[in-house]
Amino acid sequence: MRFTPHVTVATVVEDQGRFLLVEEMANGRAVFNQPAGHLEADESLMQAALRETLEETGWDIELTAVTGIYLYTAPSNGVTYQRICFAGRPLQQRPEHPLDDGIIGPRWLTRAELATQPERWRSELVLRCIDDYLAGERFPLTLLRGSA
């Protein structure tokens, strides 16, 4: 059997103690996730993070650091994901920007508000990435090599 991990990106975007999350439909239920998605052909990890954040939330952001690199196997389907999580800051919202299919909308929640709803997390990485961010985990964007 061939092992093919999926490369994904995510962003932790904080503004005054609230985090930009995506409320989306997954497996027939509404869940919270960071703005996140798959790396596409011919784009860098940073380009993918900016694109996914805009497509899922309507927000333009500036990436400021790498928060962490995570290996996660989803219990629901057995797929392994390599997630590169970025820290970012919000720049501007584009309310007219169409959101991806399955997205209910962007939501700003505090860590405490999110922590009380573990049944609504897309995966355990949602809170883990925020906790790593809050713990000060910041690696320079230059950590990532390849196309800018």
Side-chain angles (χ1 to χ4, degrees), residues 20-59:
L20 178 60
L21 297 166
V22 175
E23 187 175 15
E24 63 185 341
M25 294 303 295
N27 301 318
R29 63 188 187 99
V31 297
F32 292 120
N33 197 9
Q34 272 88 28
H38 293 266
L39 178 69
E40 293 183 357
D42 300 320
E43 74 180 344
S44 71
L45 293 166
M46 290 185 282
Q47 289 167 336
L50 294 171
R51 175 185 54 76
E52 287 290 351
T53 302
L54 180 61
E55 290 176 353
E56 294 190 350
T57 69
W59 276 89

PDB file of all heavy atoms in Angstrom, residues 20-59:
ATOM      1  N   LEU A  20      -9.539  34.145  14.368  1.00  0.00           N
ATOM      2  CA  LEU A  20     -10.320  33.978  13.150  1.00  0.00           C
ATOM      3  C   LEU A  20     -10.456  32.488  12.852  1.00  0.00           C
ATOM      4  O   LEU A  20      -9.463  31.808  12.605  1.00  0.00           O
ATOM      5  CB  LEU A  20      -9.633  34.689  11.980  1.00  0.00           C
ATOM      6  CG  LEU A  20     -10.314  34.576  10.618  1.00  0.00           C
ATOM      7  CD1 LEU A  20     -11.725  35.162  10.654  1.00  0.00           C
ATOM      8  CD2 LEU A  20      -9.460  35.263   9.556  1.00  0.00           C
ATOM      9  N   LEU A  21     -11.679  32.010  12.909  1.00  0.00           N
ATOM     10  CA  LEU A  21     -11.972  30.610  12.625  1.00  0.00           C
ATOM     11  C   LEU A  21     -12.946  30.527  11.466  1.00  0.00           C
ATOM     12  O   LEU A  21     -13.584  31.517  11.092  1.00  0.00           O
ATOM     13  CB  LEU A  21     -12.558  29.929  13.859  1.00  0.00           C
ATOM     14  CG  LEU A  21     -11.605  29.871  15.055  1.00  0.00           C
ATOM     15  CD1 LEU A  21     -12.352  29.507  16.319  1.00  0.00           C
ATOM     16  CD2 LEU A  21     -10.480  28.884  14.789  1.00  0.00           C
ATOM     17  N   VAL A  22     -13.051  29.340  10.931  1.00  0.00           N
ATOM     18  CA  VAL A  22     -13.993  29.054   9.861  1.00  0.00           C
ATOM     19  C   VAL A  22     -15.044  28.110  10.421  1.00  0.00           C
ATOM     20  O   VAL A  22     -14.697  27.074  10.997  1.00  0.00           O
ATOM     21  CB  VAL A  22     -13.272  28.379   8.668  1.00  0.00           C
ATOM     22  CG1 VAL A  22     -14.259  27.968   7.603  1.00  0.00           C
ATOM     23  CG2 VAL A  22     -12.200  29.291   8.113  1.00  0.00           C
ATOM     24  N   GLU A  23     -16.300  28.478  10.264  1.00  0.00           N
ATOM     25  CA  GLU A  23     -17.371  27.531  10.555  1.00  0.00           C
ATOM     26  C   GLU A  23     -17.735  26.902   9.222  1.00  0.00           C
ATOM     27  O   GLU A  23     -18.058  27.605   8.260  1.00  0.00           O
ATOM     28  CB  GLU A  23     -18.579  28.222  11.189  1.00  0.00           C
ATOM     29  CG  GLU A  23     -19.628  27.238  11.651  1.00  0.00           C
ATOM     30  CD  GLU A  23     -20.785  27.889  12.388  1.00  0.00           C
ATOM     31  OE1 GLU A  23     -20.939  29.127  12.311  1.00  0.00           O
ATOM     32  OE2 GLU A  23     -21.549  27.144  13.030  1.00  0.00           O
ATOM     33  N   GLU A  24     -17.643  25.585   9.168  1.00  0.00           N
ATOM     34  CA  GLU A  24     -17.842  24.875   7.903  1.00  0.00           C
ATOM     35  C   GLU A  24     -18.569  23.563   8.136  1.00  0.00           C
ATOM     36  O   GLU A  24     -18.622  23.060   9.251  1.00  0.00           O
ATOM     37  CB  GLU A  24     -16.494  24.620   7.234  1.00  0.00           C
ATOM     38  CG  GLU A  24     -15.563  23.733   8.037  1.00  0.00           C
ATOM     39  CD  GLU A  24     -14.180  23.584   7.442  1.00  0.00           C
ATOM     40  OE1 GLU A  24     -13.999  23.859   6.251  1.00  0.00           O
ATOM     41  OE2 GLU A  24     -13.270  23.169   8.174  1.00  0.00           O
ATOM     42  N   MET A  25     -19.108  23.030   7.057  1.00  0.00           N
ATOM     43  CA  MET A  25     -19.772  21.731   7.120  1.00  0.00           C
ATOM     44  C   MET A  25     -18.744  20.640   6.818  1.00  0.00           C
ATOM     45  O   MET A  25     -17.994  20.741   5.846  1.00  0.00           O
ATOM     46  CB  MET A  25     -20.914  21.651   6.115  1.00  0.00           C
ATOM     47  CG  MET A  25     -22.062  22.614   6.412  1.00  0.00           C
ATOM     48  SD  MET A  25     -22.799  22.405   8.043  1.00  0.00           S
ATOM     49  CE  MET A  25     -23.498  20.765   7.914  1.00  0.00           C
ATOM     50  N   ALA A  26     -18.698  19.628   7.676  1.00  0.00           N
ATOM     51  CA  ALA A  26     -17.823  18.473   7.467  1.00  0.00           C
ATOM     52  C   ALA A  26     -18.559  17.240   7.962  1.00  0.00           C
ATOM     53  O   ALA A  26     -18.998  17.199   9.116  1.00  0.00           O
ATOM     54  CB  ALA A  26     -16.506  18.654   8.221  1.00  0.00           C
ATOM     55  N   ASN A  27     -18.710  16.288   7.097  1.00  0.00           N
ATOM     56  CA  ASN A  27     -19.410  15.044   7.443  1.00  0.00           C
ATOM     57  C   ASN A  27     -20.803  15.316   8.016  1.00  0.00           C
ATOM     58  O   ASN A  27     -21.209  14.711   8.999  1.00  0.00           O
ATOM     59  CB  ASN A  27     -18.573  14.194   8.402  1.00  0.00           C
ATOM     60  CG  ASN A  27     -17.228  13.821   7.816  1.00  0.00           C
ATOM     61  OD1 ASN A  27     -17.140  13.474   6.639  1.00  0.00           O
ATOM     62  ND2 ASN A  27     -16.185  13.904   8.610  1.00  0.00           N
ATOM     63  N   GLY A  28     -21.494  16.288   7.425  1.00  0.00           N
ATOM     64  CA  GLY A  28     -22.868  16.572   7.809  1.00  0.00           C
ATOM     65  C   GLY A  28     -23.053  17.367   9.082  1.00  0.00           C
ATOM     66  O   GLY A  28     -24.165  17.475   9.586  1.00  0.00           O
ATOM     67  N   ARG A  29     -21.978  17.942   9.614  1.00  0.00           N
ATOM     68  CA  ARG A  29     -22.127  18.743  10.828  1.00  0.00           C
ATOM     69  C   ARG A  29     -21.291  20.022  10.724  1.00  0.00           C
ATOM     70  O   ARG A  29     -20.295  20.072  10.006  1.00  0.00           O
ATOM     71  CB  ARG A  29     -21.761  17.944  12.072  1.00  0.00           C
ATOM     72  CG  ARG A  29     -20.336  17.486  12.131  1.00  0.00           C
ATOM     73  CD  ARG A  29     -20.080  16.511  13.303  1.00  0.00           C
ATOM     74  NE  ARG A  29     -18.672  16.239  13.401  1.00  0.00           N
ATOM     75  CZ  ARG A  29     -17.839  16.832  14.262  1.00  0.00           C
ATOM     76  NH1 ARG A  29     -18.293  17.717  15.117  1.00  0.00           N
ATOM     77  NH2 ARG A  29     -16.568  16.522  14.295  1.00  0.00           N
ATOM     78  N   ALA A  30     -21.723  21.055  11.442  1.00  0.00           N
ATOM     79  CA  ALA A  30     -21.009  22.333  11.452  1.00  0.00           C
ATOM     80  C   ALA A  30     -19.860  22.251  12.449  1.00  0.00           C
ATOM     81  O   ALA A  30     -20.067  21.914  13.616  1.00  0.00           O
ATOM     82  CB  ALA A  30     -21.958  23.462  11.820  1.00  0.00           C
ATOM     83  N   VAL A  31     -18.662  22.544  11.973  1.00  0.00           N
ATOM     84  CA  VAL A  31     -17.458  22.468  12.808  1.00  0.00           C
ATOM     85  C   VAL A  31     -16.637  23.745  12.663  1.00  0.00           C
ATOM     86  O   VAL A  31     -16.829  24.519  11.727  1.00  0.00           O
ATOM     87  CB  VAL A  31     -16.590  21.241  12.432  1.00  0.00           C
ATOM     88  CG1 VAL A  31     -17.330  19.940  12.692  1.00  0.00           C
ATOM     89  CG2 VAL A  31     -16.120  21.322  10.986  1.00  0.00           C
ATOM     90  N   PHE A  32     -15.704  23.921  13.609  1.00  0.00           N
ATOM     91  CA  PHE A  32     -14.763  25.043  13.565  1.00  0.00           C
ATOM     92  C   PHE A  32     -13.386  24.528  13.173  1.00  0.00           C
ATOM     93  O   PHE A  32     -12.957  23.465  13.598  1.00  0.00           O
ATOM     94  CB  PHE A  32     -14.642  25.723  14.934  1.00  0.00           C
ATOM     95  CG  PHE A  32     -15.880  26.437  15.371  1.00  0.00           C
ATOM     96  CD1 PHE A  32     -16.515  26.074  16.544  1.00  0.00           C
ATOM     97  CD2 PHE A  32     -16.409  27.481  14.626  1.00  0.00           C
ATOM     98  CE1 PHE A  32     -17.647  26.737  16.972  1.00  0.00           C
ATOM     99  CE2 PHE A  32     -17.554  28.144  15.040  1.00  0.00           C
ATOM    100  CZ  PHE A  32     -18.176  27.771  16.216  1.00  0.00           C
ATOM    101  N   ASN A  33     -12.698  25.334  12.376  1.00  0.00           N
ATOM    102  CA  ASN A  33     -11.331  25.035  11.979  1.00  0.00           C
ATOM    103  C   ASN A  33     -10.609  26.356  11.794  1.00  0.00           C
ATOM    104  O   ASN A  33     -11.248  27.403  11.641  1.00  0.00           O
ATOM    105  CB  ASN A  33     -11.313  24.239  10.673  1.00  0.00           C
ATOM    106  CG  ASN A  33      -9.981  23.553  10.402  1.00  0.00           C
ATOM    107  OD1 ASN A  33      -9.091  23.514  11.248  1.00  0.00           O
ATOM    108  ND2 ASN A  33      -9.846  23.001   9.211  1.00  0.00           N
ATOM    109  N   GLN A  34      -9.289  26.317  11.796  1.00  0.00           N
ATOM    110  CA  GLN A  34      -8.553  27.467  11.312  1.00  0.00           C
ATOM    111  C   GLN A  34      -8.830  27.572   9.814  1.00  0.00           C
ATOM    112  O   GLN A  34      -9.183  26.571   9.182  1.00  0.00           O
ATOM    113  CB  GLN A  34      -7.042  27.277  11.493  1.00  0.00           C
ATOM    114  CG  GLN A  34      -6.490  27.715  12.814  1.00  0.00           C
ATOM    115  CD  GLN A  34      -6.547  26.603  13.841  1.00  0.00           C
ATOM    116  OE1 GLN A  34      -6.507  25.436  13.524  1.00  0.00           O
ATOM    117  NE2 GLN A  34      -6.659  26.979  15.088  1.00  0.00           N
ATOM    118  N   PRO A  35      -8.635  28.751   9.231  1.00  0.00           N
ATOM    119  CA  PRO A  35      -8.601  28.785   7.770  1.00  0.00           C
ATOM    120  C   PRO A  35      -7.503  27.815   7.337  1.00  0.00           C
ATOM    121  O   PRO A  35      -6.362  27.931   7.780  1.00  0.00           O
ATOM    122  CB  PRO A  35      -8.238  30.231   7.453  1.00  0.00           C
ATOM    123  CG  PRO A  35      -8.622  31.009   8.684  1.00  0.00           C
ATOM    124  CD  PRO A  35      -8.416  30.061   9.835  1.00  0.00           C
ATOM    125  N   ALA A  36      -7.863  26.839   6.526  1.00  0.00           N
ATOM    126  CA  ALA A  36      -6.910  25.771   6.210  1.00  0.00           C
ATOM    127  C   ALA A  36      -7.294  25.092   4.913  1.00  0.00           C
ATOM    128  O   ALA A  36      -8.451  25.142   4.494  1.00  0.00           O
ATOM    129  CB  ALA A  36      -6.891  24.745   7.349  1.00  0.00           C
ATOM    130  N   GLY A  37      -6.317  24.443   4.309  1.00  0.00           N
ATOM    131  CA  GLY A  37      -6.601  23.687   3.105  1.00  0.00           C
ATOM    132  C   GLY A  37      -5.339  23.085   2.521  1.00  0.00           C
ATOM    133  O   GLY A  37      -4.250  23.190   3.094  1.00  0.00           O
ATOM    134  N   HIS A  38      -5.517  22.487   1.370  1.00  0.00           N
ATOM    135  CA  HIS A  38      -4.440  21.747   0.713  1.00  0.00           C
ATOM    136  C   HIS A  38      -3.551  22.645  -0.135  1.00  0.00           C
ATOM    137  O   HIS A  38      -4.024  23.587  -0.762  1.00  0.00           O
ATOM    138  CB  HIS A  38      -5.030  20.647  -0.176  1.00  0.00           C
ATOM    139  CG  HIS A  38      -5.705  19.574   0.607  1.00  0.00           C
ATOM    140  ND1 HIS A  38      -5.067  18.422   0.991  1.00  0.00           N
ATOM    141  CD2 HIS A  38      -6.953  19.486   1.107  1.00  0.00           C
ATOM    142  CE1 HIS A  38      -5.895  17.662   1.678  1.00  0.00           C
ATOM    143  NE2 HIS A  38      -7.050  18.288   1.769  1.00  0.00           N
ATOM    144  N   LEU A  39      -2.293  22.295  -0.151  1.00  0.00           N
ATOM    145  CA  LEU A  39      -1.336  22.916  -1.046  1.00  0.00           C
ATOM    146  C   LEU A  39      -1.691  22.524  -2.470  1.00  0.00           C
ATOM    147  O   LEU A  39      -1.990  21.359  -2.747  1.00  0.00           O
ATOM    148  CB  LEU A  39       0.081  22.425  -0.704  1.00  0.00           C
ATOM    149  CG  LEU A  39       1.224  22.924  -1.572  1.00  0.00           C
ATOM    150  CD1 LEU A  39       1.447  24.417  -1.346  1.00  0.00           C
ATOM    151  CD2 LEU A  39       2.492  22.139  -1.246  1.00  0.00           C
ATOM    152  N   GLU A  40      -1.692  23.502  -3.370  1.00  0.00           N
ATOM    153  CA  GLU A  40      -1.983  23.232  -4.773  1.00  0.00           C
ATOM    154  C   GLU A  40      -0.690  23.265  -5.588  1.00  0.00           C
ATOM    155  O   GLU A  40       0.331  23.806  -5.139  1.00  0.00           O
ATOM    156  CB  GLU A  40      -2.988  24.252  -5.311  1.00  0.00           C
ATOM    157  CG  GLU A  40      -4.357  24.112  -4.665  1.00  0.00           C
ATOM    158  CD  GLU A  40      -5.404  25.059  -5.223  1.00  0.00           C
ATOM    159  OE1 GLU A  40      -5.075  25.892  -6.097  1.00  0.00           O
ATOM    160  OE2 GLU A  40      -6.549  24.965  -4.766  1.00  0.00           O
ATOM    161  N   ALA A  41      -0.751  22.702  -6.776  1.00  0.00           N
ATOM    162  CA  ALA A  41       0.419  22.658  -7.658  1.00  0.00           C
ATOM    163  C   ALA A  41       0.915  24.072  -7.942  1.00  0.00           C
ATOM    164  O   ALA A  41       0.124  25.006  -8.092  1.00  0.00           O
ATOM    165  CB  ALA A  41       0.065  21.956  -8.962  1.00  0.00           C
ATOM    166  N   ASP A  42       2.215  24.211  -8.002  1.00  0.00           N
ATOM    167  CA  ASP A  42       2.876  25.460  -8.387  1.00  0.00           C
ATOM    168  C   ASP A  42       2.631  26.628  -7.437  1.00  0.00           C
ATOM    169  O   ASP A  42       2.675  27.779  -7.858  1.00  0.00           O
ATOM    170  CB  ASP A  42       2.487  25.863  -9.823  1.00  0.00           C
ATOM    171  CG  ASP A  42       2.876  24.803 -10.838  1.00  0.00           C
ATOM    172  OD1 ASP A  42       3.977  24.231 -10.696  1.00  0.00           O
ATOM    173  OD2 ASP A  42       2.080  24.524 -11.747  1.00  0.00           O
ATOM    174  N   GLU A  43       2.334  26.369  -6.168  1.00  0.00           N
ATOM    175  CA  GLU A  43       2.249  27.460  -5.209  1.00  0.00           C
ATOM    176  C   GLU A  43       3.126  27.126  -4.004  1.00  0.00           C
ATOM    177  O   GLU A  43       3.360  25.963  -3.695  1.00  0.00           O
ATOM    178  CB  GLU A  43       0.810  27.772  -4.791  1.00  0.00           C
ATOM    179  CG  GLU A  43       0.153  26.810  -3.861  1.00  0.00           C
ATOM    180  CD  GLU A  43      -1.285  27.186  -3.495  1.00  0.00           C
ATOM    181  OE1 GLU A  43      -1.719  28.333  -3.696  1.00  0.00           O
ATOM    182  OE2 GLU A  43      -1.984  26.294  -2.997  1.00  0.00           O
ATOM    183  N   SER A  44       3.582  28.168  -3.340  1.00  0.00           N
ATOM    184  CA  SER A  44       4.382  27.968  -2.130  1.00  0.00           C
ATOM    185  C   SER A  44       3.442  27.738  -0.954  1.00  0.00           C
ATOM    186  O   SER A  44       2.232  27.979  -1.026  1.00  0.00           O
ATOM    187  CB  SER A  44       5.260  29.197  -1.868  1.00  0.00           C
ATOM    188  OG  SER A  44       4.453  30.284  -1.442  1.00  0.00           O
ATOM    189  N   LEU A  45       4.020  27.283   0.153  1.00  0.00           N
ATOM    190  CA  LEU A  45       3.227  27.089   1.367  1.00  0.00           C
ATOM    191  C   LEU A  45       2.619  28.413   1.828  1.00  0.00           C
ATOM    192  O   LEU A  45       1.462  28.464   2.252  1.00  0.00           O
ATOM    193  CB  LEU A  45       4.090  26.479   2.467  1.00  0.00           C
ATOM    194  CG  LEU A  45       4.553  25.048   2.203  1.00  0.00           C
ATOM    195  CD1 LEU A  45       5.670  24.668   3.165  1.00  0.00           C
ATOM    196  CD2 LEU A  45       3.388  24.072   2.308  1.00  0.00           C
ATOM    197  N   MET A  46       3.385  29.493   1.732  1.00  0.00           N
ATOM    198  CA  MET A  46       2.870  30.794   2.153  1.00  0.00           C
ATOM    199  C   MET A  46       1.758  31.275   1.233  1.00  0.00           C
ATOM    200  O   MET A  46       0.737  31.801   1.699  1.00  0.00           O
ATOM    201  CB  MET A  46       4.011  31.811   2.247  1.00  0.00           C
ATOM    202  CG  MET A  46       4.940  31.512   3.416  1.00  0.00           C
ATOM    203  SD  MET A  46       6.233  32.737   3.679  1.00  0.00           S
ATOM    204  CE  MET A  46       7.376  32.291   2.396  1.00  0.00           C
ATOM    205  N   GLN A  47       1.917  31.087  -0.067  1.00  0.00           N
ATOM    206  CA  GLN A  47       0.850  31.451  -1.002  1.00  0.00           C
ATOM    207  C   GLN A  47      -0.420  30.653  -0.711  1.00  0.00           C
ATOM    208  O   GLN A  47      -1.527  31.191  -0.739  1.00  0.00           O
ATOM    209  CB  GLN A  47       1.293  31.211  -2.448  1.00  0.00           C
ATOM    210  CG  GLN A  47       2.342  32.172  -2.945  1.00  0.00           C
ATOM    211  CD  GLN A  47       2.981  31.717  -4.260  1.00  0.00           C
ATOM    212  OE1 GLN A  47       2.993  30.535  -4.587  1.00  0.00           O
ATOM    213  NE2 GLN A  47       3.538  32.667  -4.991  1.00  0.00           N
ATOM    214  N   ALA A  48      -0.256  29.374  -0.401  1.00  0.00           N
ATOM    215  CA  ALA A  48      -1.420  28.534  -0.095  1.00  0.00           C
ATOM    216  C   ALA A  48      -2.128  29.030   1.160  1.00  0.00           C
ATOM    217  O   ALA A  48      -3.367  29.081   1.209  1.00  0.00           O
ATOM    218  CB  ALA A  48      -0.974  27.083   0.076  1.00  0.00           C
ATOM    219  N   ALA A  49      -1.367  29.414   2.177  1.00  0.00           N
ATOM    220  CA  ALA A  49      -1.976  29.898   3.422  1.00  0.00           C
ATOM    221  C   ALA A  49      -2.751  31.188   3.185  1.00  0.00           C
ATOM    222  O   ALA A  49      -3.875  31.349   3.697  1.00  0.00           O
ATOM    223  CB  ALA A  49      -0.901  30.104   4.482  1.00  0.00           C
ATOM    224  N   LEU A  50      -2.193  32.103   2.427  1.00  0.00           N
ATOM    225  CA  LEU A  50      -2.902  33.355   2.118  1.00  0.00           C
ATOM    226  C   LEU A  50      -4.154  33.091   1.293  1.00  0.00           C
ATOM    227  O   LEU A  50      -5.219  33.662   1.561  1.00  0.00           O
ATOM    228  CB  LEU A  50      -1.964  34.315   1.375  1.00  0.00           C
ATOM    229  CG  LEU A  50      -0.766  34.827   2.177  1.00  0.00           C
ATOM    230  CD1 LEU A  50       0.202  35.578   1.269  1.00  0.00           C
ATOM    231  CD2 LEU A  50      -1.206  35.692   3.351  1.00  0.00           C
ATOM    232  N   ARG A  51      -4.042  32.217   0.298  1.00  0.00           N
ATOM    233  CA  ARG A  51      -5.181  31.886  -0.563  1.00  0.00           C
ATOM    234  C   ARG A  51      -6.303  31.232   0.232  1.00  0.00           C
ATOM    235  O   ARG A  51      -7.459  31.634   0.129  1.00  0.00           O
ATOM    236  CB  ARG A  51      -4.728  30.963  -1.709  1.00  0.00           C
ATOM    237  CG  ARG A  51      -5.886  30.466  -2.587  1.00  0.00           C
ATOM    238  CD  ARG A  51      -5.419  29.458  -3.627  1.00  0.00           C
ATOM    239  NE  ARG A  51      -4.679  28.333  -3.078  1.00  0.00           N
ATOM    240  CZ  ARG A  51      -5.226  27.301  -2.436  1.00  0.00           C
ATOM    241  NH1 ARG A  51      -6.524  27.239  -2.215  1.00  0.00           N
ATOM    242  NH2 ARG A  51      -4.455  26.306  -1.987  1.00  0.00           N
ATOM    243  N   GLU A  52      -5.950  30.226   1.031  1.00  0.00           N
ATOM    244  CA  GLU A  52      -6.975  29.511   1.794  1.00  0.00           C
ATOM    245  C   GLU A  52      -7.686  30.436   2.784  1.00  0.00           C
ATOM    246  O   GLU A  52      -8.897  30.350   2.959  1.00  0.00           O
ATOM    247  CB  GLU A  52      -6.373  28.306   2.519  1.00  0.00           C
ATOM    248  CG  GLU A  52      -6.020  27.147   1.616  1.00  0.00           C
ATOM    249  CD  GLU A  52      -7.220  26.412   1.036  1.00  0.00           C
ATOM    250  OE1 GLU A  52      -8.381  26.678   1.444  1.00  0.00           O
ATOM    251  OE2 GLU A  52      -7.011  25.571   0.157  1.00  0.00           O
ATOM    252  N   THR A  53      -6.920  31.313   3.433  1.00  0.00           N
ATOM    253  CA  THR A  53      -7.539  32.234   4.384  1.00  0.00           C
ATOM    254  C   THR A  53      -8.537  33.143   3.680  1.00  0.00           C
ATOM    255  O   THR A  53      -9.664  33.331   4.156  1.00  0.00           O
ATOM    256  CB  THR A  53      -6.471  33.060   5.127  1.00  0.00           C
ATOM    257  OG1 THR A  53      -5.573  32.157   5.792  1.00  0.00           O
ATOM    258  CG2 THR A  53      -7.096  33.989   6.148  1.00  0.00           C
ATOM    259  N   LEU A  54      -8.175  33.679   2.535  1.00  0.00           N
ATOM    260  CA  LEU A  54      -9.091  34.539   1.779  1.00  0.00           C
ATOM    261  C   LEU A  54     -10.303  33.754   1.288  1.00  0.00           C
ATOM    262  O   LEU A  54     -11.445  34.202   1.444  1.00  0.00           O
ATOM    263  CB  LEU A  54      -8.358  35.194   0.607  1.00  0.00           C
ATOM    264  CG  LEU A  54      -9.222  36.112  -0.261  1.00  0.00           C
ATOM    265  CD1 LEU A  54      -9.794  37.274   0.547  1.00  0.00           C
ATOM    266  CD2 LEU A  54      -8.407  36.617  -1.451  1.00  0.00           C
ATOM    267  N   GLU A  55     -10.076  32.563   0.726  1.00  0.00           N
ATOM    268  CA  GLU A  55     -11.175  31.770   0.174  1.00  0.00           C
ATOM    269  C   GLU A  55     -12.171  31.314   1.237  1.00  0.00           C
ATOM    270  O   GLU A  55     -13.353  31.157   0.948  1.00  0.00           O
ATOM    271  CB  GLU A  55     -10.636  30.536  -0.549  1.00  0.00           C
ATOM    272  CG  GLU A  55      -9.921  30.837  -1.836  1.00  0.00           C
ATOM    273  CD  GLU A  55      -9.313  29.595  -2.493  1.00  0.00           C
ATOM    274  OE1 GLU A  55      -9.320  28.499  -1.888  1.00  0.00           O
ATOM    275  OE2 GLU A  55      -8.807  29.742  -3.619  1.00  0.00           O
ATOM    276  N   GLU A  56     -11.696  31.101   2.459  1.00  0.00           N
ATOM    277  CA  GLU A  56     -12.574  30.562   3.496  1.00  0.00           C
ATOM    278  C   GLU A  56     -13.140  31.612   4.438  1.00  0.00           C
ATOM    279  O   GLU A  56     -14.119  31.341   5.128  1.00  0.00           O
ATOM    280  CB  GLU A  56     -11.830  29.494   4.301  1.00  0.00           C
ATOM    281  CG  GLU A  56     -11.509  28.272   3.466  1.00  0.00           C
ATOM    282  CD  GLU A  56     -10.981  27.103   4.282  1.00  0.00           C
ATOM    283  OE1 GLU A  56     -10.677  27.288   5.479  1.00  0.00           O
ATOM    284  OE2 GLU A  56     -10.889  26.002   3.714  1.00  0.00           O
ATOM    285  N   THR A  57     -12.518  32.811   4.480  1.00  0.00           N
ATOM    286  CA  THR A  57     -12.985  33.823   5.430  1.00  0.00           C
ATOM    287  C   THR A  57     -13.283  35.182   4.808  1.00  0.00           C
ATOM    288  O   THR A  57     -13.920  36.017   5.446  1.00  0.00           O
ATOM    289  CB  THR A  57     -11.943  34.057   6.548  1.00  0.00           C
ATOM    290  OG1 THR A  57     -10.792  34.700   5.985  1.00  0.00           O
ATOM    291  CG2 THR A  57     -11.574  32.758   7.242  1.00  0.00           C
ATOM    292  N   GLY A  58     -12.748  35.441   3.618  1.00  0.00           N
ATOM    293  CA  GLY A  58     -12.885  36.768   3.036  1.00  0.00           C
ATOM    294  C   GLY A  58     -11.905  37.777   3.629  1.00  0.00           C
ATOM    295  O   GLY A  58     -12.038  38.976   3.397  1.00  0.00           O
ATOM    296  N   TRP A  59     -10.905  37.304   4.368  1.00  0.00           N
ATOM    297  CA  TRP A  59      -9.918  38.189   4.988  1.00  0.00           C
ATOM    298  C   TRP A  59      -8.569  38.099   4.281  1.00  0.00           C
ATOM    299  O   TRP A  59      -8.087  37.003   4.001  1.00  0.00           O
ATOM    300  CB  TRP A  59      -9.702  37.811   6.455  1.00  0.00           C
ATOM    301  CG  TRP A  59     -10.713  38.425   7.369  1.00  0.00           C
ATOM    302  CD1 TRP A  59     -11.925  37.898   7.723  1.00  0.00           C
ATOM    303  CD2 TRP A  59     -10.611  39.674   8.043  1.00  0.00           C
ATOM    304  NE1 TRP A  59     -12.572  38.746   8.577  1.00  0.00           N
ATOM    305  CE2 TRP A  59     -11.787  39.842   8.792  1.00  0.00           C
ATOM    306  CE3 TRP A  59      -9.624  40.670   8.095  1.00  0.00           C
ATOM    307  CZ2 TRP A  59     -12.020  40.974   9.580  1.00  0.00           C
ATOM    308  CZ3 TRP A  59      -9.851  41.785   8.880  1.00  0.00           C
ATOM    309  CH2 TRP A  59     -11.038  41.932   9.609  1.00  0.00           C
TER     310      TRP A  59
END
